[in-house]
Amino acid sequence: MVSPDSSFESESTIAAGTRINHYKILSKIGSGAMGEVYLAQDAGLERQVALKFMKTSLAADQSARDRFVREARAAAALKHFNIVTIFEVSEYNGRPFIAMEYIGGGSLRSMLADGALPLKTATVIVADICDGLSEAHRHGIVHRDIKPANILLDENGRAKLVDFGLAHTPHLSGASDTELTSGTLAYMSPEQVRGEAPSVSSDLFSLGVTWYQMLTGELPFTGDYEASIIYSIANEDPVPVRNLCPDILPEVEKLVAALLEKDPKKRPREVSEVLARLREVQGDQASSSHGVSRRRPTVAWYGSIILILIAVAAIIQLRFDPLGITTPERETLAVMPFINLGPAEDEYFADGITDAITTHLARSGNLSVISRASSMLYRESKKNPQAIGAELGATYLLTGTILWEKGATVSHVRINAELVRVSDGSSVWADSYVRVLEKIFDLQSDIANNVTRALKIAVPVTQQQRLTRIPTRDLEAYDLYLRGNDYFNRSWDRRDIEIATDLYQQAIERDSNFAEAYAMLARGHASMYWEYFDHNDTRRQLALQAANKALELQPDLVEGHLALGYCYYHCGRDYQSALREFDLALASQPNNAELLNAIAAVQRRQGNMSASVENFARALELDPRSHLKAFDVGLTYGMLRQYDQAEQYLRRTVALAPDWPLPYIYRAWLHVFKDGDTARARAILQQSEGRADLSRSKFYWWLARIVEKDPRKILSEIHSGSDTAAFHLQQAQLYRLLGQQNLMRIYADSARAVYEQRLTTQPLDAGFESSLGLALAYLGDKDAAMRHSQKAIELLPTSKEAFDAPFLVLNLAEVLVIFEQFDAAVEQLHFLLSIPGFVSAPYLRLDPLWEPLRHRPDFQKLLAEAA
């Protein structure tokens, strides 16, 4: 997490093996001006973290301790892919420490030790820095120590900002004037060396210095001593970039020069300007570098491209825009994120109120409301209503601002809301509201009712009653619930789900009749179970109990039926019961994207692919910026072997999430399945270079043995992901194809040991049984391999599970081939060709696993029939 090349030393070192709370110290990895950093193992969450301890010599200084805590507060307020995540602040033997994300790729400073970087690499890193800085500046935080040592690179080469210990946070008290000139001298702005307060412009100057160094290998301002460096920064112009980097584009050189202007007023005004100019110059080279979270992909750069293509589409009268978003056939509303006018820590509250109003409007039943996930992507968009409406397929936008005024005795909420017609940007309705916090639910209902009246949409009496129902009278419980939603919607990472679940539990402890909190608590428990973070019966029971309690309190609660449906789905594969609950909820909210998506996912697992792809597509219409929903449509078309339709949606997925590996991998698979075009598949995989890391995905490992003929090359390219057992199994398979029996057995035995241990706690897990069967086959234990492979299919037959179970059949076929049971193997492959899935005749011709079958008449007949 820290730059390991810092020159500072501390007075004491914590020994490896020392246990601190739930952390075990592994090694010291660096030190800085205020502290030292250790690599540690988080025993609770089974992950490596970085622990930054305050130096012993400073821990007794209260002002230094306060500043150290400000670092944690500043960084913890920021949740962004390009900013290192802070997990917690604690203390050990009188020394405060911060637990944070461990970034294992080293620092930019280490990279620059060998000189200038390639132009493309520098561009990608600068774009990442800009994305992180933009998030910090949005929260009113100036980093004021941008330098290579504070820019870390993960294993995929993505840059992350760290060390907000010098950050200037206006909303945090306690920063002294003596700190204003803190920072690393060579990277400081002229105003900083003059002792003036840092600003956004100061960060931009430091970014310019760092970029200059990346391009040239040299610092722009140097000197033999401190005073001469200060003089150079304040008065001298640097050597032109072109003199040291002849290949530099003129536009890039101008942008670096603009960042290094002595006068802050002559620099770009904000980071977004730098990023926009950079993208204009470098096109896709820069845009491919940006981190896209699983729930919040970056979309700002689509604007100009989409507007141009929409104009072209209008000329040729196409019904679809370039991302496949259909023109709405009826009025559709998108609720834009209400702008938070208060402090940054109230962002979750503004988002929560936006979500509540969105949910109220969706409950009307007679109005299509765009999903929150798509609308939230426009939080900071400067686009006009026509552009946003075109991208979302919306006919109206609801916009607004919100301010939570916290008083000593009474708090007020101020909301300004406006309904805008997309076609001409005109205002249809607008109003201002001021309510005491206790009336927040009335306020949400009022806004929703006024919007439906403005749109002349009739709301049945039963639905009006739902709109006015108060979920809880305990405002602290409601606040905990909103915080929980913020974490639950953030990602699928274990830590976020755990925090959300804990916040929902706290809300329920304050109000035992809070039905919505019970519903979300059930969702949290079910997610922990489904994602195998805590896959045990206790967690399953907790999920079911919470969902049933929600419906006991409020029998018609949509969120309750949705939660119970997910419990049946994720905690027992009881698909019929899940569909029953989803359908009950859908009756109240027929245009709920999450419900439609859940129904589609269950239908796909039931084998009802046609209905599944239809509902996935309907969900995508309501959540048009969702890369996950676009991927699901493409994936399902692929299982139906409708490869051209699948390709259309996977292209859209790549456009929405250019750094996500799966759409590249599956697009390449499509061409293998369709016609065995490995050249086209390789070309698609190459498009991911510099954007997405494919090497840790097991789906890529399987594909690589087909598109890359030399297993030795594959062995050098792939890396272990989070599932080390699957990686060991893949290594064993590749060494088998190479004929290296000893290495095959070594890796197979490692996989065997892990899967046997997993089955002691999860004895009915079909996936573990199947993988263990493969491992035992590589070890030559025929009886045990067959027993476990067949048991897997008995536990999860394709009649019960149409999505995962076919992979178990494919594994059995491989085991049969290994033990030369060729007739039986061909029979299993024949079955797989008869059902929707990921097997085709061109694939069977190419995969080296089936080489022993190639010259058999029954196999040739099978391929001919399938073709």
Side-chain angles (χ1 to χ4, degrees), residues 79-268:
K79 305 296 181 184
H80 193 272
F81 181 86
N82 298 114
I83 297 175
V84 170
T85 302
I86 296 294
F87 297 133
E88 69 168 306
V89 183
S90 189
E91 190 169 304
Y92 171 70
N93 286 349
R95 298 176 66 184
F97 73 86
I98 303 167
M100 60 188 83
E101 179 184 8
Y102 172 65
I103 308 298
S107 70
L108 178 59
R109 177 178 173 178
S110 298
M111 287 184 69
L112 290 173
D114 296 326
L117 303 182
L119 295 177
K120 182 176 179 180
T121 302
T123 301
V124 168
I125 292 174
V126 168
D128 281 344
I129 297 169
C130 287
D131 267 344
L133 265 183
S134 180
E135 177 71 4
H137 291 170
R138 186 174 71 82
H139 283 79
I141 297 174
V142 177
H143 188 287
R144 73 175 179 176
D145 197 22
I146 298 296
K147 61 182 179 181
N150 284 338
I151 298 162
L152 305 185
L153 301 160
D154 66 14
E155 292 83 352
N156 301 323
R158 304 297 175 80
K160 292 178 179 270
L161 285 171
V162 70
D163 201 351
F164 283 78
L166 300 175
H168 178 58
T169 36
H171 60 277
L172 295 178
S173 60
S176 65
D177 293 338
T178 60
E179 294 174 9
L180 294 179
T181 54
S182 298
T184 304
L185 185 58
Y187 300 89
M188 291 170 66
S189 64
E191 59 269 24
Q192 281 179 287
V193 299
R194 290 194 297 266
E196 297 172 9
S199 65
V200 167
S201 190
S202 308
D203 277 352
L204 292 177
F205 187 91
S206 300
L207 173 64
V209 175
T210 303
W211 196 356
Y212 183 102
Q213 187 179 5
M214 282 192 274
L215 294 170
T216 67
E218 306 288 342
L219 285 166
F221 308 107
T222 59
D224 295 330
Y225 47 90
E226 184 176 291
S228 61
I229 296 174
I230 292 174
Y231 179 84
S232 179
I233 292 171
N235 299 285
E236 295 179 347
D237 293 327
V239 175
V241 174
R242 180 165 298 280
N243 291 11
L244 303 172
C245 181
D247 296 332
I248 189 70
L249 294 171
E251 293 85 351
V252 173
E253 185 176 29
K254 290 177 184 177
L255 185 51
V256 175
L259 291 170
L260 295 177
E261 284 283 356
K262 307 295 184 188
D263 184 351
K265 296 179 181 178
K266 294 182 179 180
R267 297 173 205 151

Side-chain angles (χ1 to χ4, degrees), residues 10-29:
S10 67
E11 303 90 335
S12 62
T13 299
I14 301 173
T18 302
R19 292 196 174 275
I20 300 173
N21 298 345
H22 50 93
Y23 303 111
K24 179 182 178 182
I25 298 295
L26 300 179
S27 63
K28 182 179 176 181
I29 56 176

Side-chain angles (χ1 to χ4, degrees), residues 578-640:
L579 276 184
R580 182 185 68 242
E581 296 301 324
F582 293 152
D583 286 340
L584 286 170
L586 196 67
S588 297
Q589 291 188 21
N591 297 310
N592 185 311
E594 186 175 11
L595 274 169
L596 291 166
N597 199 76
I599 289 169
V602 169
Q603 289 171 329
R604 184 169 62 188
R605 291 184 177 275
Q606 290 180 314
N608 188 357
M609 298 297 170
S610 297
S612 172
V613 79
E614 181 180 338
N615 280 314
F616 274 134
R618 287 178 61 200
L620 181 60
E621 287 180 10
L622 293 164
D623 194 0
R625 310 300 294 183
S626 170
H627 62 287
L628 296 173
K629 291 183 175 65
F631 181 77
D632 271 323
V633 179
L635 184 70
T636 312
Y637 270 126
M639 293 184 71
L640 285 166

Side-chain angles (χ1 to χ4, degrees), residues 361-387:
L361 288 164
R363 283 175 178 159
S364 69
N366 297 321
L367 176 68
S368 291
V369 180
I370 297 295
S371 166
R372 73 171 301 280
S374 285
S375 296
M376 280 293 176
L377 296 174
Y378 294 84
R379 182 194 300 276
E380 298 178 60
S381 176
K382 305 298 183 185
K383 297 176 182 178
N384 61 38
Q386 289 91 334

Side-chain angles (χ1 to χ4, degrees), residues 13 348 498 658:
T13 299
Y348 79 94
E498 285 180 328

